[in-house]
């Protein structure tokens, strides 16, 4: 078992799992005019639009208990996100799902691109609806979806000497 397992960002074909975010707790909620910011007890910060959704159990998009953040009273939202983060998943399609230790989940659906969502590590943007912006100080490891094993790509070969052509021109077309 890799001793740095918790400090990796795991990349799968369709998603990233921000393992370093696991165990973080939201300690402060800031209700801004157009979004909600959740500050954690680590350098991670989550910012989502009021149209993001929460549900107590189900991950199904049309589950009857899944509602926008603005549906819930603010004190209830703050209570529901106060448990440790267990499952921080960010999809390459632009969606996100953060599961908390008490069973509650925070969602941003890829079917609603107008809903804002960003993840910061300190002042560094790590993820937005466009994808992984910066891994900050964390290594990104690609995993095989079937085996869970790392996919180690071989290093790129060096340029063959016969391709070292210098025509003396700045024109890339030769």
């Amino acid at each position: 078992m890799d001793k740095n397992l918790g400090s990796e960002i795991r990349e799968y074909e369709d998603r990233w799992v921000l393992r370093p975010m696991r165990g973080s707790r939201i300690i402060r909620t800031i209700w801004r005019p157009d979004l909600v910011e959740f500050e954690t007890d680590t350098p991670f910060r989550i910012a989502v639009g009021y149209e993001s959704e929460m549900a107590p159990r189900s991950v199904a998009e049309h589950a009857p208990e899944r509602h926008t953040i603005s549906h819930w009273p603010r004190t209830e939202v703050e209570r529901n996100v106060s448990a440790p983060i267990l499952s921080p998943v960010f999809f390459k399609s632009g969606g996100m799902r953060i599961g908390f230790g008490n069973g509650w989940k925070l969602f941003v659906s890829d079917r609603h691109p107008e809903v804002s969502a960003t993840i910061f590590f300190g002042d560094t943007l790590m993820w937005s609806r466009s994808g992984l912006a910066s891994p900050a100080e964390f290594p990104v490891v690609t995993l095989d979806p079937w085996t869970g094993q790392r996919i180690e790509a071989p290093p790129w070969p060096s340029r063959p000497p016969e391709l070292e052509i210098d025509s003396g021109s700045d024109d890339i077309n030769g």
Side-chain angles (χ1 to χ4, degrees):
M1 173 89 44
D2 187 348
K3 66 180 178 183
N4 294 320
L5 197 59
S7 65
E8 298 174 340
I9 296 172
R10 293 182 170 186
E11 181 175 15
Y12 296 90
E13 188 175 316
D14 65 339
R15 69 191 72 190
W16 295 279
V17 178
L18 273 62
R19 302 252 324 151
M21 189 183 260
R22 281 183 53 105
S24 298
R25 285 181 171 270
I26 293 172
I27 56 171
R28 184 171 175 221
T29 303
I30 304 167
W31 300 92
R32 303 213 184 272
D34 56 343
L35 57 87
V36 182
E37 285 188 44
F38 298 107
E39 293 181 354
T40 69
D41 58 356
T42 65
F44 286 102
R45 185 168 38 97
I46 304 160
V48 295
Y50 284 95
E51 302 82 20
S52 58
E53 298 173 301
M54 295 183 67
R57 287 172 293 282
S58 178
V59 297
E61 181 111 22
H62 299 292
E65 65 269 8
R66 185 167 164 169
H67 300 286
T68 62
I69 281 184
S70 58
H71 168 85
W72 310 97
R74 289 182 175 187
T75 55
E76 195 169 336
V77 170
E78 292 172 5
R79 184 184 69 239
N80 295 338
V81 299
S82 66
I85 294 172
L86 298 183
S87 179
V89 181
F90 302 90
F91 297 93
K92 294 181 179 181
S93 61
M96 70 171 235
R97 179 182 68 231
I98 298 177
F100 296 91
N102 58 4
W104 279 86
K105 291 166 189 64
L106 174 65
F107 303 96
V108 173
S109 172
D110 61 352
R111 295 183 185 173
H112 301 286
E114 72 282 0
V115 179
S116 65
T118 51
I119 303 298
F120 293 90
F121 186 76
D123 291 328
T124 303
L125 174 66
M126 284 192 71
W127 179 88
S128 72
R129 302 291 307 260
S130 300
L132 193 64
S134 166
E137 58 195 49
F138 307 106
V140 178
V141 296
T142 305
L143 298 180
D144 180 281
W146 299 103
T147 65
Q149 299 296 313
R150 289 178 187 230
I151 298 173
E152 302 288 345
W156 285 97
S158 59
R159 181 185 297 244
E162 63 270 16
L163 292 181
E164 295 294 337
I165 301 169
D166 183 11
S167 65
S169 170
D170 289 338
D171 184 354
I172 63 169
N173 296 313

